[in-house]
């Protein structure tokens, strides 16, 4: 596999569920990102990891919990979400925290 | 403003030129980027321009940069139906992070 892979592609969850989104990059990069894409709004940068260390947390609610066990893998753990959290969640990677970023195809999340 | 701004929609006829506009916020952004998102996919880097350039041309794509007005545009010549997608402009700011606009949905009419 090449590039940035995200699983699952689609996820439907209730407000009381716990689920996780997974991202894996095969580009040898050392920085990884989570973005949220909602209709008619700018992409929102959520979290940034550099060499497995979190360097950015842009005021994201604690119901979103990121995890970066190594430079190739990134998770987003979800619990007690709200319907307004329904969106496309995009993972990206880069080398040395320098753009450009390379994106995965995203996970379409629906919270019911 | 605080956000990168783009129009939400643009429709053009096949064969015409498309011009997608963007206003960014940080004059110190060293590079500015255009990304393309096709249906069901993530964002794909289309092109970029260094901030000390006014123009960059790459085949059918022309990027124009007006630093004084913080205005970036992407021109697609001879637009094809395969160009239908959402186009995002992005700037670098705040510790080397990429900040994006809302995206402009380009619809090409056959």
């Amino acid at each position: 596999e090449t590039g940035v892979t995200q699983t699952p592609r689609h996820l439907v969850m209730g407000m009381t569920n716990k689920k996780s989104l997974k991202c894996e990059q095969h580009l040898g990069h050392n920085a990884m990102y989570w973005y949220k894409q909602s209709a008619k709004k700018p992409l929102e940068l959520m979290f940034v990891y550099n060499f497995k260390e979190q360097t950015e947390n842009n005021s994201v609610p604690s119901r979103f919990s990121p995890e970066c066990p190594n430079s190739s893998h990134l998770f987003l753990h979800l619990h007690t979400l709200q319907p307004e959290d329904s969106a496309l969640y995009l993972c990206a990677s880069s080398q040395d925290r320098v753009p450009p970023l390379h994106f995965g195809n995203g996970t379409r999340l629906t919270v019911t | 403003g605080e956000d990168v701004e783009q129009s939400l929609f643009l429709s053009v006829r096949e064969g015409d030129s498309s011009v997608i506009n963007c206003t960014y916020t940080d004059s110190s952004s060293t590079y500015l980027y255009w990304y393309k998102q096709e249906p069901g996919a993530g964002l794909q880097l289309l092109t970029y321009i260094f901030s000390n350039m006014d123009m960059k041309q790459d085949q059918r794509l022309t990027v124009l940069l007006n630093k004084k007005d913080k205005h970036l545009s992407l021109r697609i010549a001879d637009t094809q139906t395969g160009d239908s997608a959402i186009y995002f402009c992005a700037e670098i700011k705040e510790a080397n992070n990429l900040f994006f606009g809302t995206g402009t949905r380009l619809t090409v009419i056959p």
Side-chain angles (χ1 to χ4, degrees), chain A residues 9 33 35 37 40-43 45 48 56 58 88 90 97-105, chain B residues 3-4 8 33 35 37 40-43 45 86 88 92 94-102:
Chain A
R9 291 298 309 273
Y33 309 76
Y35 280 86
Q37 183 180 3
K40 301 182 182 178
K41 294 174 68 175
L43 257 68
L45 178 62
V48 181
E56 299 277 341
N58 284 337
L88 182 68
L90 292 163
R97 288 274 276 110
V98 177
L101 274 56
H102 299 259
F103 284 84
N105 287 332
Chain B
D3 293 333
V4 175
L8 289 176
Y33 299 85
Y35 277 79
Q37 184 181 35
L43 276 65
L45 179 65
I86 303 176
F88 291 87
I92 300 175
E94 298 179 18
N96 238 17
N97 290 317
L98 262 190
F99 285 82
F100 293 82
T102 57

Side-chain angles (χ1 to χ4, degrees), chain B residues 22-52:
Chain B
C22 168
T23 303
Y24 61 97
T25 66
D26 191 342
S27 57
S28 64
S29 183
T30 49
Y31 287 90
L32 293 143
Y33 299 85
W34 284 104
Y35 277 79
K36 177 183 181 181
Q37 184 181 35
E38 296 183 352
L43 276 65
Q44 175 188 11
L45 179 65
L46 199 57
T47 187
Y48 61 92
I49 187 167
F50 188 46
S51 59
N52 70 351

Side-chain angles (χ1 to χ4, degrees), chain A residues 4 14-16 25 35 38 46 52-54 59-60 65 72 82 85 87 98-99 104 106 112:
Chain A
V4 181
M15 293 168 61
T16 58
Q25 59 95 3
Y35 280 86
S38 305
M46 300 175 72
K52 305 187 298 177
E53 299 297 320
Q54 187 179 123
S59 303
V60 180
S65 174
S72 299
Q82 305 298 309
D85 297 322
V98 177
T112 60

